[in-house]
Amino acid sequence: MIRSLSKYKVTLIVIAALVCFFLWWNNSRGYNDDAMAGIALDAGIDQSSILEGEDASSKLEPSFNKYVDSWSEQGASDTTDFSITLSSTDYEGISESGTQIVSGLGDQPGQALALMDEDSWADYSFEVPEDGYYQMGMSYYAMEGKRSSVVRSLQIDGKYPFFQAKKLEFQRMWKEAGKTWFDNQNNEFNPRREETFGWQYREFRDAEGKTYEPFRFYLTKGKHTLRLQAVREPAAIGKIDIYSPVKVPTYAEVASTYEQKGYKKTAGQLIKAQAELSTLKSDPTLKRIEDREPLTEPFKKDSIVLNTFGGASWRTGGQWAEWEIEVPESGLYEIGARYGQWFLNGMPTQRTVTIDGKLPFKEMNEISFPYKAEFQVAKFGGDSESKEPYLYYLEKGKHTIRMEVQVGALGRMLETVTDTTRKMSLLGREVIQVTGTNPDPNGDWRLEQNIANLVQRLQLMAKSFDDTIKGLYELGVDKGSSEVSPLYEARDVLLSMSKDTTSIPGRMLQFNDLQASLGTWVNGLSKQSLLLDYLIIKSPDTAWPKPDAGWLARTGTMIYDFTSSFTKNYGGIGNVYEDEKVLDVWVARGRDWVDIIKQMIDEDFTTETGIKVNVNVIPAQQMQVLLLASTAGLAPDVALGVEGEIPIDYAVRNGLVNLEEYDDYDEVAARFRPGALIPYKYNNGSYALPENQNFNMLFYRKDILQQLGISESEIPDTWQEVMDLIPILQQNGMDFFYPHAPNNPALAINEFAPFLFQQNSEFYREDGKYSNLDSPEAMKAFKLWTGLFTNFKISKQADFYNRFRSGEMPIGVADYSTYVLLSTAAPELTGWWGMKPMPGTPQEDGQINRSTGGLAQTGMIFKDTDMKEQSWEFLKWWTSADTQERFGSELEALLGVEARWNTANIEALKRMPWQSSDINAILEQWEWFKEREVVIGGYYTTRHIANIWNQIVLNGKIPREAVEEGVKEIDKELRKKREEFGLNDAPASSSQATSKGGDSP
């Protein structure tokens, strides 16, 4: 045996070494929780930056937490036994316009003051008897508006006490408009949600749910003035309450009274309130959804059943839903829920739970739902292992249970990360002031001598991340959760920099990327999703329901679903008609979007016209599916969601209906900006209609530019003014942003187009036969575009949203998605940012040419259709203002403001729930909306514009040489494609204006 083993001695040693190496690697590949051990930190170290006084955040109001901490450090405390109620009509002053006295609202007699228009306001005077903290709340009646929640700002004695006071949110109330409906495949669909009007009461509290309790306001003894100002949506004020902070008793205090009051535990009761049957909700995005877990109630194996509530859409602080339950006897009950919480890896989510409008005890402010990749049963008041959940006294009869999204446990941690990220931003700007924007990585910059307390500041920032990591673990976050890794990475990078400060100049890109990832992390953790199957109200002696099906049942369901997938039609949406004359519409969008379209078709279009429609969903961004179907003779009648470059591909192949053949085409085309129709024109015809439009705008931080001595009236209108501003920004460690997508060359043409259009030039000449990029105007446009990156050294790639928030890029050009982000995920900047049309080029007549386009999706009719007139009726209906408005409203109701529909229909856009200042800026930009012409072979233009940028900016090539090389290749491909399609002697386009895209080779 020994002899046999010695024969394989080397092999065994190698195997043992590999095993040891694997064990060592496996144990060391994680993050080190003791990374801060041995690092001595002096708490008295000055962490301030020399830029602190110049930092924009010094002008912003403090957060609520900092506000309270500051006053508490000065000895402030809660007042007691004070309450005063102000009637809305007893105002001291109101704005000159936008207010209205109303009466007869809901069940409340008498009159009330309504703030109807944006920026309308009302002032109220009141007195308090002593210095200290007070809380406030008000009753309100949300009036008919644009479906968004009501937003008001609050000033006390002419100032915002903290930035959250600039955005107090008051939700509307929504309910289902009837019962769910079923298609002819027995799939269940959500009913429409409709608003229900009535008086509500809400304390002034954080709109994002990042504090457990209503706001505390520090007031000195005496008279004060309170101003409520409308930010969004009309609403009437009933009364305003100002009172000493309410002390909510703990469970122990409440439970101690049960025996004194003679409350007894009930027996034998088990009530399930199905979550999908919510009676009222704060947001139309909250809806029923399907879950395929076998124990989910109810469950159907052969069709879609909407058997759960919430999910990914029930995630934003302040969103609530309520359910009505009825108990058969008075007594003590336990309450819980069957839920799914697999949205934040390893991270618990929270809800505030009230019963009949009241918080039963303090702990109900923070009911936790731990993470697990399967269904669980939550026992309110104890974890899944607890034997002692809370007891709740319920009188016999009906009760209402409300659950509201709460992020309070994470509030201070998220704020700490945001503050530390800001410190990183300031430190980065200090480094840039020493090294410049493009430092020599081998230079001896002596950062420690030039930046005070550099090492200690890096270590303290690392410690704040380390403390946050430990706080998350104490909160119940699973060790090793991927949600924590950005904090580990930031901590370790900061520690590494502190150990070797000479490496900092060469790592600034990594340093900036960290800030962007931390900003994304904060936004992600602010979203607390939860899926509910049912609420449980039970007697203490009754067993809790089983949380999930066994592995055998789940496996059986998975196998059944798999085998069914070979015969089930997943493309068809809603009612599917067979063996009938029916219009076939394909939509290249997500299934949620297509569900809305199909429901609108069935309810409106088919009802009005009698035309039956089958709708099929095809993958977005996979337009080759349409090409293959058309080639095979299987094309639909109508296609929606088609990328803007595609229609001409089909038109040149005689595959589309020329829409100008219809008598009322001009009337329909008038719904859109003339420049939006350019890409769909070919050979004196028009082959598609735009559905939506993107747009670029100039975003700017009012506070920072004011600090630099630039008022709002001086925000750049021209590119020359931008170039005058950039050096001022860079001298202060800041930068201007212009979009560039290095990993997506197809976008380069959109980035270049504004400069070309504003020089009154085009991409092509002689009806698309030749490229026009070598014209003098185009050369000037190229030099202006690339000069931003070569002469002015603006960043070639950046996360504009996060760097805009941090103040590093206080001004820049960005698209619609940035507007949505700033509107929904940057509460601290409320009132401190604005947008206006993008910079342009002065013309001889004094106008500023701001021409630019935007990526569009289109609708088109295939020529093989045998329902030509019906197809046109459908396309007219779909692009009409009423239909587009309803689709936008339904979409926003389903997916939230993040999915706001940027319709191409001008009238519909005006009806969308934009703030008036924003929509005015957008419409002003749309006056210059202009797309680029699509020609055969134009994909080479897209490709070579990206190459030209790379050659000039990255390789230092002379612009003229780079452009001429590109134009040579473009012209070669244009000639080749025109020969292929026999177009050498035929006009390629009726338009001399520019448009976007090209066909695929």
Side-chain angles (χ1 to χ4, degrees):
M1 179 70 176
I2 294 173
R3 185 178 300 171
S4 177
L5 288 174
S6 64
K7 180 179 179 180
Y8 299 103
K9 180 170 64 175
V10 175
T11 303
L12 291 172
I13 290 172
V14 171
I15 292 173
L18 289 173
V19 169
C20 291
F21 173 77
F22 174 78
L23 292 173
W24 169 83
W25 172 79
N26 190 56
N27 290 328
S28 63
R29 67 193 179 104
Y31 292 103
N32 179 12
D33 286 327
D34 298 319
M36 297 299 300
I39 298 178
L41 294 172
D42 183 355
I45 291 173
D46 182 9
Q47 297 185 62
S48 62
S49 165
I50 60 170
L51 301 175
E52 203 83 44
E54 302 174 14
D55 180 37
S57 61
S58 64
K59 288 196 69 175
L60 302 180
E61 299 80 7
S63 69
F64 170 69
N65 287 328
K66 288 188 175 67
Y67 168 84
V68 169
D69 290 346
S70 174
W71 281 112
S72 296
E73 288 170 5
Q74 299 175 52
S77 60
D78 288 351
T79 59
T80 57
D81 302 325
F82 174 79
S83 176
I84 185 173
T85 297
L86 308 175
S87 171
S88 67
T89 54
D90 292 336
Y91 50 81
E92 188 172 79
I94 56 174
S95 56
E96 292 183 1
S97 61
T99 62
Q100 185 178 327
I101 298 294
V102 294
S103 58
L105 294 178
D107 56 359
Q108 182 172 304
Q111 296 182 322
L113 176 70
L115 302 182
M116 303 297 294
D117 298 339
E118 292 174 17
D119 297 327
S120 60
W121 52 265
D123 285 344
Y124 298 90
S125 293
F126 63 95
E127 286 191 48
V128 294
E130 60 178 318
D131 296 355
Y133 288 127
Y134 296 83
Q135 291 177 328
M136 302 181 188
M138 77 176 191
S139 59
Y140 67 98
Y141 188 101
M143 305 175 75
E144 286 193 23
K146 294 185 176 181
R147 300 167 61 98
S148 297
S149 57
V150 175
V151 177
R152 296 292 181 262
S153 66
L154 170 71
Q155 295 181 55
I156 297 177
D157 299 329
K159 294 181 179 179
Y160 298 108
F162 36 83
F163 72 73
Q164 290 94 334
K166 298 166 78 173
K167 187 182 179 182
L168 300 176
E169 194 159 0
F170 301 89
Q171 289 87 357
R172 295 177 178 273
M173 296 184 292
W174 298 84
K175 64 180 181 180
E176 293 179 342
K179 297 181 179 179
T180 58
W181 61 279
F182 294 84
D183 62 20
N184 55 12
Q185 301 169 78
N186 204 32
N187 294 316
E188 187 177 18
F189 288 81
N190 273 288
R192 291 179 62 185
R193 271 77 68 202
E194 66 179 13
E195 187 175 358
T196 179
F197 295 93
W199 286 97
Q200 300 182 69
Y201 187 87
R202 189 166 180 83
E203 307 92 344
F204 295 168
R205 59 195 313 146
D206 185 18
E208 295 191 310
K210 290 181 179 176
T211 58
Y212 283 127
E213 296 183 311
F215 289 138
R216 279 173 163 75
F217 300 88
Y218 180 76
L219 302 174
T220 55
K221 178 181 177 180
K223 187 175 180 181
H224 296 274
T225 300
L226 175 155
R227 170 171 289 189
L228 281 172
Q229 184 164 341
V231 177
R232 185 177 71 199
E233 295 285 63
I237 306 167
K239 62 177 182 176
I240 302 169
D241 292 329
I242 302 160
Y243 49 90
S244 296
V246 175
K247 185 180 183 299
V248 181
T250 65
Y251 175 69
E253 293 170 337
V254 172
S256 68
T257 67
Y258 287 165
E259 190 171 344
Q260 299 171 15
K261 295 180 178 180
Y263 296 162
K264 303 294 183 184
K265 295 179 180 179
T266 57
Q269 302 295 337
L270 175 62
I271 302 165
K272 292 181 181 178
Q274 295 297 329
E276 66 272 16
L277 302 179
S278 62
T279 52
L280 211 57
K281 58 201 91 174
S282 65
D283 198 315
T285 63
L286 304 181
K287 57 172 185 144
R288 309 177 186 218
I289 58 178
E290 179 199 22
D291 182 80
R292 296 289 296 170
E293 213 274 350
L295 279 190
T296 302
E297 300 178 4
F299 180 78
K300 292 181 182 179
K301 65 178 183 177
D302 292 314
S303 59
I304 293 173
V305 58
L306 304 177
N307 51 8
T308 55
F309 174 85
S313 63
W314 191 23
R315 61 180 185 174
T316 306
Q319 283 183 320
W320 56 261
E322 61 186 36
W323 294 265
E324 192 174 88
I325 56 127
E326 185 168 2
V327 296
E329 59 178 305
S330 301
L332 297 172
Y333 292 84
E334 294 173 349
I335 299 178
R338 183 176 186 263
Y339 72 96
Q341 203 289 88
W342 42 71
F343 300 94
L344 292 174
N345 182 21
M347 189 82 62
T349 62
Q350 291 189 324
R351 293 292 185 270
T352 292
V353 180
T354 59
I355 300 175
D356 298 328
K358 296 181 180 179
L359 203 64
F361 33 83
K362 189 175 182 179
E363 289 82 353
M364 296 301 285
N365 240 331
E366 48 185 303
I367 295 298
S368 185
F369 296 85
Y371 169 87
K372 197 175 184 180
E374 57 190 37
F375 272 95
Q376 303 175 72
V377 167
K379 307 171 185 178
F380 293 175
D383 58 34
S384 57
E385 306 299 324
S386 174
K387 305 280 186 189
E388 297 292 335
Y390 297 146
L391 293 173
Y392 304 80
Y393 179 75
L394 300 175
E395 290 279 356
K396 177 181 177 181
K398 292 184 178 180
H399 297 272
T400 298
I401 296 178
R402 175 180 290 194
M403 296 177 66
E404 182 173 325
V405 179
Q406 174 64 263
V407 196
L410 291 173
R412 281 191 177 269
M413 297 182 199
L414 298 177
E415 188 172 318
T416 296
V417 172
T418 300
D419 287 345
T420 307
T421 305
R422 183 184 66 85
K423 292 176 182 177
M424 291 173 65
S425 172
L426 290 172
L427 183 60
R429 287 167 57 191
E430 285 186 68
V431 171
I432 290 173
Q433 284 191 340
V434 175
T435 66
T437 53
N438 292 284
D440 179 358
N442 299 315
D444 181 10
W445 296 105
R446 300 183 181 180
L447 293 179
E448 288 184 64
Q449 287 89 343
N450 288 292
I451 299 176
N453 299 320
L454 173 62
V455 172
Q456 295 91 335
R457 286 164 65 187
L458 288 167
Q459 291 174 341
L460 285 167
M461 285 188 275
K463 185 177 186 301
S464 75
F465 290 131
D466 194 67
D467 290 343
T468 302
I469 291 167
K470 291 180 171 60
L472 289 171
Y473 287 150
E474 290 175 5
L475 188 64
V477 176
D478 293 345
K479 287 259 183 168
S481 166
S482 61
E483 300 292 346
V484 187
S485 58
L487 300 182
Y488 275 119
E489 183 182 1
R491 181 202 66 184
D492 291 351
V493 168
L494 293 171
L495 288 177
S496 173
M497 287 181 166
S498 72
K499 292 173 183 175
D500 181 12
T501 58
T502 61
S503 69
I504 293 176
R507 301 173 69 179
M508 288 308 294
L509 178 61
Q510 180 188 25
F511 194 69
N512 290 332
D513 288 345
L514 272 179
Q515 295 172 55
S517 76
L518 289 168
T520 302
W521 181 85
V522 168
N523 288 337
L525 256 65
S526 300
K527 310 300 182 185
Q528 302 271 302
S529 300
L530 184 70
L531 182 72
L532 275 189
D533 183 15
Y534 50 77
L535 295 171
I536 304 163
I537 300 91
K538 60 176 280 297
S539 301
D541 65 342
T542 306
W544 290 92
K546 188 177 178 181
D548 60 337
W551 69 270
L552 191 60
R554 291 203 302 268
T555 302
T557 301
M558 290 171 59
I559 293 172
Y560 183 85
D561 288 345
F562 175 73
T563 55
S564 299
S565 68
F566 293 99
T567 57
K568 192 173 182 179
N569 176 15
Y570 287 96
I573 301 292
N575 290 322
V576 176
Y577 304 100
E578 297 179 359
D579 302 324
E580 301 177 60
K581 188 171 184 180
V582 58
L583 196 66
D584 196 14
V585 176
W586 289 10
V587 185
R589 291 197 174 93
R591 193 175 186 91
D592 283 341
W593 300 52
V594 182
D595 281 344
I596 296 173
I597 295 172
K598 175 59 173 173
Q599 185 173 349
M600 290 174 58
I601 290 170
D602 289 345
E603 292 179 355
D604 298 340
F605 179 71
T606 300
T607 303
E608 294 171 6
T609 65
I611 302 170
K612 294 180 179 178
V613 181
N614 280 340
V615 176
N616 286 274
V617 60
I618 61 175
Q621 309 300 324
Q622 293 188 24
M623 294 295 103
Q624 66 270 24
V625 174
L626 280 173
L627 184 60
L628 292 171
S630 180
T631 304
L634 300 174
D637 300 298
V638 179
L640 302 179
V642 179
E643 295 169 11
E645 298 91 341
I646 301 299
I648 298 306
D649 286 354
Y650 293 90
V652 76
R653 294 172 172 87
N654 198 31
L656 297 181
V657 171
N658 177 6
L659 303 183
E660 293 192 24
E661 295 176 4
Y662 295 104
D663 294 338
D664 53 352
Y665 169 77
D666 289 338
E667 179 185 337
V668 174
R671 299 170 176 174
F672 316 101
R673 294 298 309 166
L677 300 169
I678 292 170
Y680 321 123
K681 293 186 178 297
Y682 165 75
N683 199 19
N684 298 316
S686 298
Y687 292 89
L689 293 178
E691 295 182 85
N692 58 3
Q693 280 179 200
N694 201 349
F695 48 84
N696 282 325
M697 304 289 290
L698 183 71
F699 295 87
Y700 58 91
R701 286 278 298 269
K702 301 176 185 178
D703 52 333
I704 295 180
L705 294 179
Q706 285 174 11
Q707 200 114 35
L708 296 175
I710 300 166
S711 66
E712 275 204 78
S713 62
E714 298 172 314
I715 302 298
D717 279 313
T718 68
W719 288 111
Q720 183 58 54
E721 291 173 354
V722 168
M723 291 185 286
D724 293 339
L725 174 63
I726 291 174
I728 299 173
L729 295 173
Q730 292 176 342
Q731 288 165 13
N732 290 274
M734 293 177 277
D735 207 356
F736 180 84
F737 176 78
Y738 189 80
H740 177 65
N743 298 320
N744 191 350
L747 294 181
I749 193 168
N750 299 322
E751 297 157 7
F752 170 65
F755 296 94
L756 182 69
F757 295 162
Q758 291 172 18
Q759 295 296 327
N760 298 304
S761 188
E762 311 293 346
F763 279 95
Y764 307 99
R765 57 177 175 264
E766 295 188 32
D767 288 327
K769 288 184 179 180
Y770 305 104
S771 173
N772 194 44
L773 295 182
D774 55 355
S775 67
E777 296 82 6
M779 285 301 305
K780 190 174 181 179
F782 271 116
K783 289 178 181 178
L784 183 58
W785 179 41
T786 58
L788 292 173
F789 302 93
T790 56
N791 300 332
F792 292 91
K793 307 294 184 185
I794 69 170
S795 295
K796 300 176 183 67
Q797 184 180 8
D799 183 336
F800 178 59
Y801 163 68
N802 278 307
R803 296 181 75 175
F804 187 81
R805 287 184 72 183
S806 70
E808 294 171 273
M809 287 183 166
I811 184 169
V813 173
D815 66 3
Y816 164 77
S817 62
T818 301
Y819 170 82
V820 171
L821 276 172
L822 291 173
S823 300
T824 60
E828 76 280 8
L829 295 184
T830 301
W832 288 105
W833 67 272
M835 71 174 184
K836 62 183 293 184
M838 71 180 295
T841 303
Q843 306 295 292
E844 291 183 359
D845 61 1
Q847 289 193 86
I848 296 176
N849 186 337
R850 304 178 189 271
S851 296
T852 184
L855 191 64
Q857 292 173 311
T858 69
M860 58 190 192
I861 301 173
F862 281 88
K863 195 160 190 176
D864 290 341
T865 179
D866 58 357
M867 302 180 70
K868 187 175 177 181
E869 293 302 322
Q870 293 91 332
S871 296
W872 178 235
E873 287 300 316
F874 175 81
L875 204 55
K876 287 195 298 182
W877 169 82
W878 172 243
T879 58
S880 67
D882 291 342
T883 302
Q884 287 289 290
E885 180 193 9
R886 180 183 166 189
F887 178 69
S889 298
E890 294 286 344
L891 187 63
E892 194 166 335
L894 178 68
L895 301 175
V897 70
E898 296 92 337
R900 180 169 292 170
W901 181 240
N902 49 326
T903 177
N905 185 299
I906 301 170
E907 178 59 32
L909 183 80
K910 294 176 182 178
R911 301 180 192 174
M912 295 295 181
W914 307 87
Q915 288 188 235
S916 58
S917 58
D918 297 337
I919 192 63
N920 290 339
I922 292 168
L923 291 173
E924 184 181 349
Q925 179 64 68
W926 269 24
E927 289 296 319
W928 292 96
F929 192 87
K930 180 179 181 181
E931 278 288 15
R932 49 192 165 83
E933 186 182 10
V934 175
V935 302
I936 294 300
Y939 53 86
Y940 251 49
T941 303
T942 300
R943 184 178 308 169
H944 280 282
I945 285 178
N947 291 343
I948 290 168
W949 188 95
N950 291 336
Q951 291 288 349
I952 297 172
V953 177
L954 303 182
N955 298 335
K957 203 160 193 173
I958 296 172
R960 169 65 68 180
E961 292 181 7
V963 172
E964 287 180 348
E965 288 177 7
V967 168
K968 181 179 179 181
E969 295 299 318
I970 294 170
D971 282 345
K972 186 188 299 183
E973 187 66 16
L974 292 176
R975 183 170 61 252
K976 175 183 170 183
K977 297 302 288 186
R978 290 177 67 81
E979 289 175 356
E980 179 182 338
F981 287 93
L983 298 175
N984 278 337
D985 298 320
S989 172
S990 62
S991 173
Q992 287 297 315
T994 58
S995 71
K996 69 188 288 309
D999 65 326
S1000 51

